[in-house]
Amino acid sequence: MKAGAAGKPATAARHATEALRLLGWPGGEPSAPALAARLLLTLAHAEAEQGRTDRGLELLDRAETLADLADVGTVLQQRGLLLLRRGEIDAALKLLDAAVPVLQEHGEPTVLARTLLNRGVVHLTAGRVRLARADLRQCRDLAGTHGLDLLAAKAEHNLGYCALADGDVPTALQTFDTAADALRRLHADGFLAISMLDRGRALLGAGLDTAAAEELDQSIELLTRHRLSQDLGEAELARAQAALGSGDLTAAALWSGRARARFTRRRNRAWAALAASLQVRVDLAAAARIPAGAEPAQDAPHPPETTTAARRKLLAVARQATRLAATLRDLGLRHDAGGAELLALRARIAAGDTPTAEQRVAARRVLPADVPLDTRLLRRLTRAELHRADGRPRPALNELHKGLATLQEHRRRFGSLELQSSVAALGADLGTFGLDISWSLGPPSLVFNWSERSRAQSFRTRSVLPPQDPQVADALAELRQLRRAVRLAELEGRPEPLLRARCAELEQGIRRQGWWAADTEEGHGAATDAEVLAELARAGRCMVTYLVRRDRLHALVLACGTITSVELGAYALVAESVRRLLSDLDTAADRRLPPKLAAVVRASAERQAATLDQALIAPVRAALSTHDVILVPTRQLAVLPWGLLPSLRGRPVSVAPSASVWLAARTADRTATTGAPLLVAGPDLLHADAEIDAIAALYPRGRVLRGAAATATDVLAGMDAARVVHVAAHGHHDTQNVLFSRLELDDGPLLAYELQRLGTAPGQVVLSACDVGRAVVRAGDELVGFTAALLHAGTANVVASVARIPDELGPKVMAHYHRAVATGVSPARALADLPEATPFVCFGAG
């Protein structure tokens, strides 16, 4: 038995056979029937582990005739597991169902826990997530009670899968973490490698490419050590996807090549073809990059000309993709084949070739209903490129608009879980290409409307946590699981028509029920230039929207009923100045810094602020006049402390991820909630109590939470519908996993994603916490972090610092700020009137 548990089935079979001979079997009735039954169970398992499942079932037939009551449940369990090996899922489930009550009454806890684990996995595979979760929780609790730590860790890991099927990415990641910690303590490196692979895939699915890469690197190291070849190849392929998502084409080429070579050695043609498909994407991205010195004219109506070397590379990619499409079609991977044909067509267009009618078929083909989202988006992008190459920019823009509409509809119907890195990247490509065409067509209003349509789309959908309707939640969870099952079956050469039919049935049911992820106030459409200009006129404000086109930074200034376009210069230089300014501010906040060095750092920060002022504000200063300013940043500008720029000091400034988000925040501000203010002093922050004491007198109806009362649960509850929330606590912006940016409270962290559980968002939130105002800006100017989560939840104004601040600064400036706000001054004006410049920024309505 020990040999079987240690993964040595041949040794276990030999020992079990020798013991059975000593008991007189085969050839007669064994002298100790109960012991013989147990040995037969061990032998049956060992035979099955060596690929002789039928022989294992024969041995179980004999064991059943000898088993006493205590072993009957084990026989049923073993038979169910062997039937699972043969793919007889329904028959296996019936046996596991029968085994559980018998084991609960007469069996051993270890066998019962294993049975619950296996039944939970069967339910999960079939998409019955609610039933799977019940079994897995029972297994985990039972295993924990009886010291079966490895079984408990396996159950915990599979509970992470349940959360992933629900669409609850943050809970899935936390659950995977808990399981991985247990596996490390148990030195179960083989299982830990798989756990880390699954967590890396989950991070990749959430669009967190850098965090996924780090997790996958550790998984690859363990998988290599344990020689788990298939899993290692899959991890390498996922690592290549993470590299491609983060724009590291060199690493993407390296990892996809390794994965392809590994799958080829294993003669796994389907997986090798998938790796080759990713290689084609990488090669196309590398070959299509505009060479240095070949920057096209800003108003070029057609695709930029390519160098001879680039053209040769692109045509080679086209030929490679065409051959790959034929291979994928032969393997039955029809959707992947269609994607490869589109890549071949894109490569020819980028090379400046005129595709033939036969080559254009890939873009014109009517797509079946079950085509994956990334293929649909790739088709729209390719059709747009064809139209532009043919000199038809308007139809090209229409195709891109349809692509973004498809992406947004998918977000609203199924949530954000399915938006993996490849899909997010395609969405960004649609937006970037549309911006390029809009620019070539002319008026700034067209450019503005396109930028609003393409940027920060996720703010129009609240959808990280699963829907509240249990029927819809179950249907979505089952659909996600079955889609995975269909994909795995496809890669194994099994058509699985019943699974495909069930997926179609579930999708139709979800549409019939009319469920959508809850839209924010502005609906699911983007704001138009007319709507924004009208609201700016009512508010007496102006707006500057920043854009990057072909590595050049531009500003669209909306003021006095008009939109003006201004070119600002190279984006890279501005981004570097932002990074240097933030670094200087963080360094200057360190109390241990020697005075002379502190003076040098402050001087450096002032120089960077002046440089940024000249680059970003000076060219548009005349158009801004004396108005309050709304800034819509892009990329690295999203974390700039704008109030430190000389031209903006003393001027009310608010920052929004898009004009649409600003309009929604304005609506929220006009209908602000009137709930009791909430004031929170977190633990281990030197001046937190003094800061809250200075503010509390201004809010006589306010609720104060400090010390042991300042728990994450109570703070979240107190935030619901509060008019004003002020939190003086340590905060942490997690750059690797922004879903877990957090405020540190007495009982642990309040995480960014938990804010989506708010019934009614607070009207205004002030975060007097270290750099928690920072964010990560993903493809399509998607802002992610604690501040973004509050805006996403519907908060009208969020005041937060984008850099570290000295501990003693908080009480002084925050008392001044709240005295102004309590008298009706707007948040942006109150920040502008602070007695000294700070890295605090007002996000939202202003």
Side-chain angles (χ1 to χ4, degrees):
M1 292 181 183
K2 286 183 179 179
K8 300 176 180 178
T11 303
R14 187 172 67 254
H15 289 324
T17 301
E18 291 173 358
L20 283 165
R21 285 198 187 99
L22 293 175
L23 294 176
W25 188 90
E29 288 298 317
S31 57
L35 178 57
R38 292 201 167 201
L39 289 167
L40 286 166
L41 287 170
T42 300
L43 182 58
H45 176 76
E47 290 289 339
E49 285 293 299
Q50 296 176 85
R52 296 186 285 272
T53 305
D54 289 342
R55 173 58 178 159
L57 289 169
E58 291 174 7
L59 292 167
L60 288 178
D61 289 339
R62 180 58 176 147
E64 191 171 6
T65 65
L66 300 172
D68 59 20
L69 196 58
D71 288 328
V72 169
T74 306
V75 174
L76 291 170
Q77 181 238 26
Q78 285 276 64
R79 192 185 300 280
L81 294 182
L82 294 192
L83 289 177
L84 273 179
R85 285 179 176 275
R86 297 209 310 198
E88 299 177 31
I89 295 176
D90 292 338
L93 186 58
K94 287 179 181 178
L95 287 167
L96 295 176
D97 286 342
V100 167
V102 176
L103 290 168
Q104 286 172 332
E105 187 170 355
H106 302 289
E108 298 176 354
T110 302
V111 180
L112 174 58
R114 285 176 180 158
T115 305
L116 290 167
L117 176 64
N118 287 307
R119 190 172 70 172
V121 171
V122 172
H123 283 314
L124 185 57
T125 303
R128 295 184 288 268
V129 178
R130 193 184 299 273
L131 294 174
R133 184 180 289 106
D135 275 348
L136 293 168
R137 283 176 174 169
Q138 191 177 351
C139 170
R140 179 192 61 191
D141 295 344
L142 180 67
T145 300
H146 293 276
L148 307 172
D149 295 338
L150 184 57
L151 278 175
K154 289 181 179 180
E156 187 74 23
H157 180 77
N158 281 291
L159 283 168
Y161 272 123
C162 291
L164 209 55
D166 282 337
D168 191 346
V169 178
T171 298
L173 294 174
Q174 284 185 309
T175 308
F176 286 145
D177 273 348
T178 302
D181 287 344
L183 291 168
R184 286 188 189 94
R185 289 193 300 271
L186 296 167
H187 304 289
D189 286 355
F191 292 117
L192 176 60
I194 303 300
S195 176
M196 297 180 79
L197 170 57
D198 290 337
R199 190 177 187 278
R201 286 168 168 159
L203 288 163
L204 195 60
L208 303 173
D209 301 304
T210 304
E214 291 186 355
E215 193 79 11
L216 290 166
D217 284 342
Q218 296 178 57
S219 175
I220 287 169
E221 182 181 345
L222 290 175
L223 289 167
T224 302
R225 191 184 307 164
H226 289 270
R227 299 183 180 181
L228 299 172
S229 182
Q230 176 65 28
D231 294 309
L232 178 55
E234 293 181 30
E236 290 169 336
L237 185 56
R239 182 65 179 83
Q241 291 169 333
L244 181 59
S246 61
D248 188 348
L249 299 186
T250 301
L254 171 69
W255 288 111
S256 60
R258 286 184 179 180
R260 184 181 185 182
R262 191 172 308 281
F263 290 132
T264 300
R265 287 195 299 271
R266 288 180 55 82
R267 299 182 181 179
N268 193 329
R269 295 181 63 216
W271 280 95
L274 287 189
S277 183
L278 187 61
Q279 282 186 298
V280 167
R281 290 178 185 269
V282 174
D283 292 343
L284 177 57
R289 283 182 169 173
I290 301 172
E295 177 72 17
Q298 294 294 309
D299 57 351
H302 299 292
E305 293 183 3
T306 57
T307 65
T308 302
R311 186 173 185 276
R312 283 200 298 268
K313 289 180 181 178
L314 286 164
L315 291 175
V317 171
R319 292 190 293 271
Q320 180 187 355
T322 300
R323 290 193 299 270
L324 177 61
T327 300
L328 289 163
R329 208 169 289 283
D330 288 344
L331 291 168
L333 302 175
R334 54 194 177 94
H335 296 326
D336 298 279
E341 289 170 346
L342 291 170
L343 292 174
L345 185 52
R346 291 191 70 200
R348 290 189 178 91
I349 296 167
D353 267 18
T354 301
T356 65
E358 182 181 357
Q359 291 165 345
R360 291 171 183 250
V361 168
R364 293 173 176 167
R365 186 180 292 121
V366 176
L367 299 179
D370 61 342
V371 166
L373 177 63
D374 57 351
T375 303
R376 291 182 180 278
L377 298 181
L378 182 61
R379 179 174 177 267
R380 290 292 182 192
L381 182 60
T382 307
R383 287 166 67 96
E385 289 171 339
L386 271 175
H387 283 308
R388 188 175 186 184
D390 292 339
R392 304 171 65 217
R394 291 283 180 184
L397 205 59
N398 187 47
E399 287 290 345
L400 297 169
H401 179 242
K402 289 178 180 177
L404 287 177
T406 298
L407 179 58
Q408 185 61 12
E409 179 183 346
H410 190 90
R411 283 184 189 270
R412 295 173 61 228
R413 192 178 294 280
F414 298 109
S416 62
L417 178 64
E418 287 79 9
L419 298 183
Q420 297 185 6
S421 296
S422 60
V423 173
L426 283 168
D429 287 345
L430 291 167
T432 300
F433 191 27
L435 178 65
D436 205 45
I437 294 176
S438 300
W439 209 280
S440 69
L441 288 174
S445 59
L446 179 64
V447 176
F448 174 82
N449 288 335
W450 182 263
S451 73
E452 277 303 301
R453 185 176 291 121
S454 61
R455 75 159 77 220
Q457 283 204 6
S458 66
F459 275 83
R460 301 202 282 276
T461 308
R462 297 175 63 182
S463 57
V464 170
L465 298 178
Q468 297 300 310
D469 185 322
Q471 277 191 312
V472 175
D474 286 350
L476 281 169
E478 183 180 356
L479 178 60
R480 291 188 180 105
Q481 281 300 105
L482 292 186
R483 279 177 175 166
R484 292 190 184 96
V486 166
R487 181 58 167 168
L488 288 174
E490 190 177 40
L491 292 171
E492 293 171 3
R494 296 182 286 108
E496 294 291 355
L498 294 180
L499 285 183
R500 292 181 183 276
R502 178 58 179 160
C503 285
E505 180 185 344
L506 287 166
E507 289 182 8
Q508 291 172 6
I510 291 168
R511 290 189 176 93
R512 279 197 303 271
Q513 291 180 58
W515 180 79
W516 300 86
D519 293 328
T520 51
E521 290 296 325
E522 77 271 30
H524 60 276
T528 66
D529 61 317
E531 292 170 333
V532 176
L533 287 169
E535 185 61 29
L536 288 170
R538 280 193 291 271
R541 302 181 187 183
C542 61
M543 176 180 287
V544 183
T545 292
Y546 292 94
L547 307 168
V548 175
R549 176 179 179 257
R550 297 182 183 174
D551 298 324
R552 305 288 291 178
L553 190 62
H554 301 263
L556 297 178
V557 184
L558 288 76
C560 302
T562 63
I563 303 178
T564 307
S565 174
V566 180
E567 183 175 353
L568 302 177
Y571 167 73
L573 297 176
V574 173
E576 181 58 28
S577 287
V578 174
R579 283 189 285 268
R580 289 180 179 179
L581 175 58
L582 292 174
S583 177
D584 287 342
L585 293 173
D586 286 345
T587 303
D590 190 340
R591 296 193 305 269
R592 299 165 297 179
L593 202 64
K596 288 186 178 180
L597 182 55
V600 171
V601 172
R602 284 194 297 270
S604 175
E606 289 175 2
R607 285 195 302 274
Q608 296 302 331
T611 299
L612 289 164
D613 189 67
Q614 284 299 307
L616 299 172
I617 305 301
V620 301
R621 188 184 298 128
L624 301 182
S625 184
T626 59
H627 295 299
D628 295 1
V629 182
I630 314 300
L631 299 170
V632 178
T634 185
R635 302 189 189 181
Q636 191 73 11
L637 303 189
V639 293
L640 175 61
W642 294 90
L644 297 182
L645 305 192
S647 295
L648 297 180
R649 288 179 187 172
R651 184 197 291 256
V653 174
S654 57
V655 176
S658 70
S660 302
V661 172
W662 178 72
L663 282 181
R666 287 278 295 170
T667 301
D669 204 24
R670 286 192 290 267
T671 58
T673 58
T674 58
L678 176 69
L679 310 176
V680 180
D684 304 322
L685 185 61
L686 187 60
H687 299 285
D689 285 311
E691 184 171 323
I692 294 302
D693 289 340
I695 298 169
L698 300 169
Y699 300 106
R701 291 181 54 237
R703 181 187 179 194
V704 176
L705 296 177
R706 68 176 90 219
T711 65
T713 301
D714 287 341
V715 169
L716 188 61
M719 291 176 73
D720 209 304
R723 177 167 60 90
V724 176
V725 175
H726 182 101
V727 182
H730 284 297
H732 180 69
H733 175 67
D734 193 328
T735 58
Q736 300 303 313
N737 192 344
V738 289
L739 294 170
F740 294 106
S741 292
R742 57 195 177 271
L743 297 174
E744 300 294 348
L745 297 169
D746 186 73
D747 63 339
L750 175 61
L751 301 167
Y753 79 89
E754 294 181 282
L755 297 171
Q756 293 192 47
R757 295 194 171 99
L758 290 168
T760 302
Q764 178 188 163
V765 177
V766 181
L767 300 173
S768 182
C770 293
D771 78 0
V772 79
R774 289 189 183 176
V776 167
V777 184
R778 301 197 317 217
D781 280 335
E782 296 284 5
L783 195 67
V784 187
F786 206 94
T787 299
L790 282 163
L791 293 173
H792 207 176
T795 297
N797 287 288
V798 182
V799 173
S801 177
V802 294
R804 290 181 58 198
I805 56 174
D807 287 342
E808 65 276 6
L809 182 63
K812 181 166 54 175
V813 299
M814 286 294 103
H816 193 285
Y817 171 85
H818 280 284
R819 277 196 295 271
V821 169
T823 62
V825 174
S826 72
R829 168 56 69 184
L831 274 186
D833 291 343
L834 289 178
E836 56 185 291
T838 72
F840 281 99
V841 175
C842 177
F843 297 91

